[in-house]
């Protein structure tokens, strides 16, 4: 009965109720969209630089991370790869040998990152094969390399041309070699596109004079939630006096920081949006209360307990918030899932500007449930807080005064 | 031998006074009012504006507390009740009809009539029967499913009276129930109240300014400056 009363009361002033619902729903849609875009871009950033580059976890020689030079390469214990891949939720252990080199073609020279990969294993990480935009798929061998499109552009070379790589090898050995470019690759991460030279692991080991050595063994897992358990297992498998296990949070502090800063600014924007909506909601609650003081007075006079009256008004507020949130969901879920499947790519003009700052020129969206649930909680929380006013008003209501003044 | 049957006293006020301190100058709305109301009375409280009619009815109805004095209803001294006890007391023993907007706008006429019984947790069947019977008696059975906004002022007040009546309180207080009605509707409402007074043996105490309404009362208590000036039984 109380619920029936509350329900009918909501629809007493249809126009106001609809305006309130629409404005809350609009806030839910806008903020889910903003949130989805932010979280989506973080997921993408993390994916680009972690999932597809360093891996969520890496094993390397102690000290390598602080001083990433070829001399800090290590000889992996023979069964290390097998053991790591035996840990639950580990998809692959991907060996890498990487270091810097100068890449030249005709008169141009540029710093490059030579990455020696195991093509089969690499499929689980960088998935280089999928990133080839020009040239034949994946034909690297001791004479052929893949290079990033940015690097190729700078050097003004195309598929089929030959580049010269010069570097310092393991323990000061000379490293130099001539390689034919068999394809160009492009990554979400501009640094990689502008620097990478991929060759098979044995070729890289030969080039750097670092037979059997690796700079890192990257550990691939599907989702970052597994990282801590895998890390614990790795620490047991690995000789920690010689090697170190690092997770992506430690390897990518700038990324994490960047995300945090951006996240805070995003949350502030959302808060501003909700403050505006909050005022609207409060206005509605205020009117819902003040225009009914006479009626409340009558109800108290004829013997309705205050708490029942409060329950009715509270139910009205909760129902109103619930309808608004549901309407918001009903509209935002299809909208966001559309964008999730069709990310917005920026036009070429913006693309350059974005990539200068190392940002991929694409807006991606997240469909994580938190995008939506957080909005629902915010609206409910606001309704609860703002709902204190009408409840307080009823608590203090004197029926005689209410009816004298309400006339 | 002649026997006089002592009538039951339902309301007894002893020396009640009420002073409002809301403005700088305190307003003495009631001064030493002694009043007894017996079961079955049909009594009008009259007097000029500001004479204290509403104040008196509010105090009798437990909506307001006197500054001094006692109000005994049946055998309960309601001046000693706490807020929540007073609300329950009103729910079970006192019927109210106000000047206007008595009804809950989102409930139908029948639901409004049932409302107090609902708060009293009466059974569905009892509520239904009682509400329909009363609606029929006042000629509103065809309006049972209609909301108050679709009823005329007179019809609304009739529904308000039978809502108060439905739960069988000790008495019904009506503060200027006809103030917003034209004289024909006012007459009708009063006739209906008089009929309920006889048929249901319901005690009515109502305030009014309207001479034609006053004429229908069997006892008229006249207030002036917060005191009872005349008290005549006809
Ligand atoms: N809550 C209040 N605060 C201050 N003064 C009040 C209050 N209620 C009533 N009064 C004053 O008490 C006096 C009696 O008022 P009351 O409403 O009882 O008169 P009334 O006879 O019902 O008048 P009317 O015929 O206009 O309804 C008036 O002077 C009024 O201004
Ligand atoms: Mg009055």
């Amino acid at each position: 009965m109380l619920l029936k009363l509350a329900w009918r009361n909501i629809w007493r002033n249809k126009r106001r109720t609809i305006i309130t619902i629409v404005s809350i729903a609009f806030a839910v849609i806008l903020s889910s969209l903003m949130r989805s875009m932010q979280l989506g871009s973080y997921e993408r950033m993390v994916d680009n630089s972690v999932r597809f580059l360093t891996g969520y976890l890496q094993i390397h020689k102690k000290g390598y991370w602080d001083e990433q030079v070829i001399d800090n390469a290590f000889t992996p214990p023979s069964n290390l790869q097998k053991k790591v891949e035996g840990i639950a939720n580990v998809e692959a252990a991907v060996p890498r040998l990487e270091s810097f080199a100068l890449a030249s073609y005709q008169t141009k020279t540029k710093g490059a990152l030579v990455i020696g990969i195991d093509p089969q294993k690499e499929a689980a990480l960088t998935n280089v094969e999928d990133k080839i935009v020009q040239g034949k798929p994946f034909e690297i061998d001791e004479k052929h390399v893949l290079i990033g499109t940015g690097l190729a552009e700078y050097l003004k070379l195309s598929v089929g041309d030959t580049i010269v790589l010069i570097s310092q090898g393991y323990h000061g050995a000379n490293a130099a070699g001539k390689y034919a470019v068999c394809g160009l690759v492009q990554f979400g991460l501009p640094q990689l596109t502008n620097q990478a030279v991929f060759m098979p692991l044995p070729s890289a080991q030969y080039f750097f004079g670092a037979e059997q050595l690796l700079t890192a063994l990257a550990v691939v897992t599907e989702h970052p939630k597994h990282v801590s358990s895998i890390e614990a297992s790795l620490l047991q498998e690995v000789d920690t006096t010689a090697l170190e296990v690092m997770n992506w949070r430690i390897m990518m502090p700038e990324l994490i920081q960047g995300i945090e800063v951006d996240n805070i600014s995003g949350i502030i924007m959302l808060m501003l949006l909700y403050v505006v909506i909050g005022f609207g909601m409060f206005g509605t609650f205020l009117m819902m209360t003040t225009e009914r003081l006479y009626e409340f007075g009558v109800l108290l006079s004829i013997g309705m307990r205050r708490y029942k009256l409060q329950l009715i008004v509270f139910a009205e507020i909760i129902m109103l918030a619930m309808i608004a949130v549901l309407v918001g969901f009903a509209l935002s879920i299809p909208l966001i899932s559309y964008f999730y499947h069709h990310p917005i790519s920026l036009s070429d003009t913006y693309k350059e500007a974005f990539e200068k700052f190392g940002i991929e020129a694409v807006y991606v969206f997240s469909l994580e449930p938190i995008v939506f649930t957080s909005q629902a909680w915010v609206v409910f929380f606001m309704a609860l807080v703002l709902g204190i006013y009408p409840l307080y008003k009823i608590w203090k209501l004197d029926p005689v005064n209410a009816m004298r003044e309400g006339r | 031998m002649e026997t006089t049957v002592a009538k039951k006293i339902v309301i007894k006020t002893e020396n009640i006074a009420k002073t409002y301190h809301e403005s700088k100058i305190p307003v003495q709305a009631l001064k030493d009012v002694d009043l007894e109301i017996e079961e079955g009375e049909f009594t009008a409280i009259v007097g000029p504006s500001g004479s204290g009619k509403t104040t008196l009815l509010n105090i009798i109805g437990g909506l307001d507390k006197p500054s001094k004095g006692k109000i005994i209803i049946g055998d309960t001294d309601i001046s000693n009740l706490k807020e929540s006890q007073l609300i329950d007391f009103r729910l079970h023993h006192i019927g109210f009809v106000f000047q206007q907007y008595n009804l809950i706008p989102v409930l139908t006429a029948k639901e409004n009539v049932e409302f107090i019984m609902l708060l009293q947790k009466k059974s569905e069947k009892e509520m239904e029967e009682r509400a329909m019977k009363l609606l029929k008696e006042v000629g509103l059975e065809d309006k049972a499913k209609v909301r108050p906004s679709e009823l005329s002022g007179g019809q609304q007040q009739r529904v308000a009276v039978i809502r108060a009546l439905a739960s069988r309180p000790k008495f019904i207080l009506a503060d200027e129930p006809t103030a917003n009605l034209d004289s024909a509707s006012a007459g009708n409402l009063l006739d209906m109240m008089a009929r309920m007074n006889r048929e249901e043996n319901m005690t009515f105490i109502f305030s009014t300014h309207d001479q034609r309404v006053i004429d229908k009362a069997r006892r008229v208590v006249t207030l002036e400056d917060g005191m009872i000036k005349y008290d005549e039984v006809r």
Side-chain angles (χ1 to χ4, degrees), chain A residues 70-71 167-175 208:
Chain A
I70 193 77
D71 285 353
S167 182
Q168 189 169 52
Y170 191 61
H171 287 170
N174 280 329
F208 286 115

Side-chain angles (χ1 to χ4, degrees), chain B residues 180-223:
Chain B
N180 288 19
L181 302 182
D182 59 68
S183 54
S185 313
N188 279 340
L189 186 72
L190 252 286
D191 288 340
M192 177 226 148
M193 282 164 58
R195 190 156 49 84
M196 293 299 159
N197 169 248
R198 288 190 306 272
E199 287 174 9
E200 300 254 343
N201 191 32
M202 178 56 62
T203 311
F204 279 90
I205 301 128
F206 51 93
S207 71
T208 184
H209 278 125
D210 183 340
Q211 190 54 49
R212 274 170 299 180
V213 171
I214 298 171
D215 290 343
K216 305 212 183 225
R218 287 203 306 278
R219 176 182 175 191
V220 179
V221 176
T222 309
L223 286 182

Side-chain angles (χ1 to χ4, degrees), chain A residues 8 294 300-301 305-306, chain B residues 83 88 90 100 106 111:
Chain A
R8 290 195 198 165
Y294 183 92
L300 289 177
S301 298
R305 285 287 194 92
R306 276 175 210 276
Chain B
E83 219 258 1
D88 283 346
R90 292 199 297 262
Q100 56 180 339
V106 296
E111 289 168 333

Side-chain angles (χ1 to χ4, degrees), chain A residues 1 4-5 8-9 12 294-295 298-306 308 398-401 403 407, chain B residues 58 63 83-84 87-88 90-91 96 98-102 104-107 111 115 118-119 147:
Chain A
M1 179 61 200
K4 190 162 95 185
L5 251 179
R8 290 195 198 165
N9 276 328
R12 204 158 147 165
Y294 183 92
E295 184 183 327
V298 170
L299 290 171
L300 289 177
S301 298
I302 63 174
M304 186 175 221
R305 285 287 194 92
R306 276 175 210 276
K308 281 196 179 160
D398 170 34
V400 173
N401 279 335
M403 289 164 67
R407 234 168 250 190
Chain B
N58 285 345
L63 291 173
E83 219 258 1
S84 58
I87 294 184
D88 283 346
R90 292 199 297 262
L91 174 63
F96 289 92
F98 302 101
Q99 192 174 324
Q100 56 180 339
Y101 308 127
N102 275 286
I104 302 167
V106 296
L107 297 183
E111 289 168 333
F115 192 75
L118 186 91
L119 293 179
R147 289 203 186 178

